[in-house]
Amino acid sequence: MIRKTLLLASAFALFAVSVQADERYKVIRPVIIESGIAGEWMTQLSGPVRARVLRKVERRQVQYRTVRRAGLFSRPVVQQVTYRAEKPPIEQMEPQFLPQVVEYETKYRPGTIVIDTNNRFLYLVLADGKARRYGVGVGKPGFEWAGEHRITRKAEWPEWNPPQEMITREAAKGHILPAHMEGSEANPLGARAMYLGSTLYRIHGTNAPWTIGYAVSSGCIRLRNQDVVDLYERVKVGTRVIVI
């Protein structure tokens, strides 16, 4: 009798576990990505996914209840948060685009700026066949240009007044640009600007340092903020600028 009772109890227990397992796998639960991991993962993606809502796990210490209450453990609390992945840190920029003194034979006099748009380099010509080289971002396809100008004005933390054609062009893409933006770290012109002749072109900083080395601008030459500050201190109004 006792043996029969034990067998029935065991069968009931196995049935209960089976039912519980079936119930558990009836629902496909969403994958929960913790914010620390998602940051690295999402930098590899583009488009709307950058602004999607993710689930964040708030970890709590495991709490043991008394044996009398079946030894339960607390579960992680899941809360909805808006997460936007950060861009790669500027230290990840390719080494050739970091400021450095290089061998540079040229016919231009020391103090001249030469911008090689094909290779994404700006050279500040030095004496003895050398130059100080910076990585730059240049005009995207359709916005390339070449020529010679001089720096006619310099500005620290410049204001940004996008031209009307840029405002119209970006509006057609669904991007609404401000008519005016005060100088700040969020300003696309960055920390410094050097204006070229009477054109709309500038050598300036950027609020997007990960774009250095790419053809992304509307014709302006952009540097990392720390690099444009360095260049700004080395040149004067009247400096000759050659864009090739």
Side-chain angles (χ1 to χ4, degrees):
M1 182 66 179
I2 295 175
R3 183 178 179 182
K4 185 176 181 181
T5 301
L6 290 174
L7 289 172
L8 288 173
S10 298
F12 178 80
L14 288 172
F15 176 78
V17 169
S18 176
V19 170
Q20 188 175 20
D22 289 342
E23 291 296 324
R24 177 182 178 185
Y25 291 105
K26 278 183 179 179
V27 179
I28 301 176
R29 300 186 181 279
V31 175
I32 299 174
I33 303 174
E34 297 185 44
S35 57
I37 299 172
E40 298 180 7
W41 176 68
M42 289 186 68
T43 57
Q44 303 174 47
L45 305 178
S46 60
V49 71
R50 291 194 180 278
R52 69 179 286 192
V53 174
L54 299 181
R55 293 189 170 208
K56 178 181 177 182
V57 176
E58 179 185 274
R59 295 209 176 270
R60 290 184 177 177
Q61 292 183 347
V62 176
Q63 298 177 349
Y64 179 76
R65 307 293 177 85
T66 61
V67 176
R68 190 181 309 176
R69 298 187 61 183
L72 299 176
F73 294 85
S74 64
R75 295 183 178 180
V77 175
V78 178
Q79 63 185 78
Q80 293 287 343
V81 295
T82 300
Y83 181 84
R84 184 179 177 86
E86 294 297 328
K87 295 288 186 178
I90 56 178
E91 289 77 10
Q92 291 185 13
M93 189 165 63
E94 296 179 34
Q96 69 266 29
F97 295 125
L98 297 174
Q100 53 197 287
V101 175
V102 298
E103 299 291 333
Y104 189 67
E105 294 293 338
T106 180
K107 63 182 181 180
Y108 299 115
R109 299 178 59 182
T112 303
I113 291 175
V114 180
I115 301 171
D116 181 346
T117 56
N118 286 332
N119 293 307
R120 321 293 200 245
F121 290 130
L122 180 152
Y123 296 90
L124 175 60
V125 180
L126 305 176
D128 302 322
K130 296 185 183 296
R132 185 167 178 79
R133 190 180 75 186
Y134 305 82
V136 296
V138 301
K140 57 192 171 185
F143 291 85
E144 310 97 328
W145 65 280
E148 178 179 335
H149 293 287
R150 291 189 181 270
I151 293 176
T152 50
R153 184 164 74 90
K154 296 169 64 181
E156 299 184 9
W157 295 107
E159 299 176 347
W160 183 44
N161 300 290
Q164 185 57 52
E165 56 266 29
M166 179 184 289
I167 293 175
T168 302
R169 183 173 65 245
E170 293 302 314
K173 303 175 187 177
H175 306 152
I176 306 302
L177 298 183
H180 172 78
M181 181 182 286
E182 295 292 333
S184 69
E185 291 184 359
N187 191 307
L189 298 186
R192 301 288 187 272
M194 289 157 276
Y195 296 77
L196 303 180
S198 59
T199 72
L200 295 176
Y201 298 130
R202 315 166 186 84
I203 299 170
H204 62 76
T206 181
N207 60 355
W210 53 87
T211 60
I212 300 305
Y214 295 93
V216 291
S217 78
S218 294
C220 286
I221 307 301
R222 63 176 66 175
L223 296 84
R224 296 188 309 170
N225 278 340
Q226 58 266 56
D227 297 343
V228 79
V229 169
D230 180 79
L231 178 65
Y232 185 95
E233 299 299 327
R234 296 174 185 270
V235 300
K236 300 176 180 179
V237 170
T239 294
R240 188 181 183 191
V241 179
I242 312 294
V243 179
I244 58 177

